[in-house]
Amino acid sequence: GENVEQHPSTLSVQEGDSAVIKCTYSDSASNYFPWYKQELGKRPQLIIDIRSNVGEKKDQRIAVTLNKTAKHFSLHITETQPEDSAVYFCAASQTGFQKLVFGTGTRLLVSP
Amino acid sequence: GAVVSQHPSRVICKSGTSVKIECRSLDFQATTMFWYRQFPKKSLMLMATSNEGSKATYEQGVEKDKFLINHASLTLSTLTVTSAHPEDSSFYICSARSGAPETQYFGPGTRLLVL
């Protein structure tokens, strides 16, 4: 089955810096890759997703890149703000198989 | 749009009792709902996939007789933790599929404490 690895487990940056979180997946059949942000005690919220027919997607300060050959995808956050502090999870799934396999999470801390 | 609610948000119960958690899609019909368990500072662990009108599919290692799942309508799925024990204490989160084939939206979670 699919296995998703995520790095780093913790990431501390200064406000205004960029943050990059990386994930690798094992199943070449996976074709959908969402990213979720979870604040302490709250629900995971979808912040961006990408499908395997595109290599990059951007939404304001957030972007995701996908390298299908290497089977890895990354989340890029630019101009970080303290409110970006949270745990970020990547995930992977196959169309039609429904279930998401999550990475282990990255705790991002943005210091003012 | 794509709002998922969960009830209760917190529950404390005695060991040996059963607890029911409801997951509702408020503004869309969800043919598939998912139940996760999350331990402190850990990732989401999928417990089961719930399809409306059919039996749930449980992940390996999850006891189906202990975690009863019912998906009776397109907007409601329930998880019942039977004969709860302290080790069942955890954060339980549901999600529902909406529109796009893969997109999942999460409920706010239920924190269960078994004494």
Side-chain angles (χ1 to χ4, degrees):
Chain A
E2 176 65 276
N3 182 52
V4 178
E5 295 188 356
Q6 184 172 346
H7 299 280
S9 57
T10 58
L11 178 59
S12 294
V13 300
Q14 292 292 121
E15 183 176 2
D17 289 349
S18 295
V20 180
I21 303 171
K22 298 181 179 181
C23 289
T24 60
Y25 60 100
S26 61
D27 192 340
S28 57
S30 289
N31 54 13
Y32 174 65
F33 308 94
W35 286 88
Y36 287 87
K37 173 184 179 181
Q38 186 179 29
E39 297 177 11
L40 188 63
K42 301 291 181 65
R43 76 183 82 195
Q45 293 195 308
L46 179 70
I47 57 172
I48 196 167
D49 57 11
I50 192 169
R51 289 176 171 79
S52 60
N53 57 343
V54 298
E56 183 174 359
K57 184 177 178 180
K58 191 173 181 179
D59 183 3
Q60 299 183 338
R61 297 188 296 110
I62 295 172
V64 57
T65 58
L66 171 65
N67 183 326
K68 288 188 295 182
T69 303
K71 294 206 282 282
H72 66 70
F73 56 112
S74 300
L75 177 71
H76 304 254
I77 306 174
T78 59
E79 300 173 27
T80 54
Q81 301 166 3
E83 50 265 38
D84 293 330
S85 297
V87 178
Y88 292 81
F89 291 100
C90 63
S93 76
Q94 296 178 41
T95 302
F97 283 81
Q98 302 181 359
K99 69 179 185 180
L100 291 171
V101 177
F102 282 86
T104 49
T106 296
R107 188 171 301 276
L108 174 65
L109 177 61
V110 182
S111 302
Chain B
V3 177
V4 178
S5 71
Q6 209 171 319
H7 178 81
S9 58
R10 293 174 179 267
V11 57
I12 301 173
C13 68
K14 293 181 179 181
S15 187
T17 60
S18 294
V19 175
K20 180 184 283 188
I21 302 169
E22 292 186 348
C23 178
R24 293 182 185 273
S25 56
L26 298 185
D27 53 0
F28 65 98
Q29 293 184 330
T31 54
T32 306
M33 290 183 173
F34 304 86
W35 287 95
Y36 296 84
R37 185 173 179 176
Q38 187 175 34
F39 291 103
K41 298 185 179 181
K42 296 294 184 182
S43 188
L44 295 99
M45 182 189 78
L46 180 65
M47 300 174 65
T49 300
S50 168
N51 292 293
E52 187 265 339
S54 63
K55 291 184 178 180
T57 301
Y58 290 81
E59 294 299 302
Q60 190 173 10
V62 178
E63 299 177 59
K64 62 180 181 180
D65 293 331
K66 179 161 185 66
F67 298 100
L68 300 178
I69 291 172
N70 187 301
H71 193 160
S73 76
L74 287 172
T75 59
L76 173 65
S77 177
T78 60
L79 168 68
T80 301
V81 183
T82 62
S83 186
H85 288 98
E87 56 265 31
D88 298 325
S89 299
S90 191
F91 193 50
Y92 293 88
I93 312 178
C94 70
S95 72
R97 254 180 14 147
S98 164
E102 307 91 352
T103 305
Q104 289 186 32
Y105 296 93
F106 285 83
T110 296
R111 193 162 300 282
L112 171 64
L113 177 60
V114 185
L115 302 177

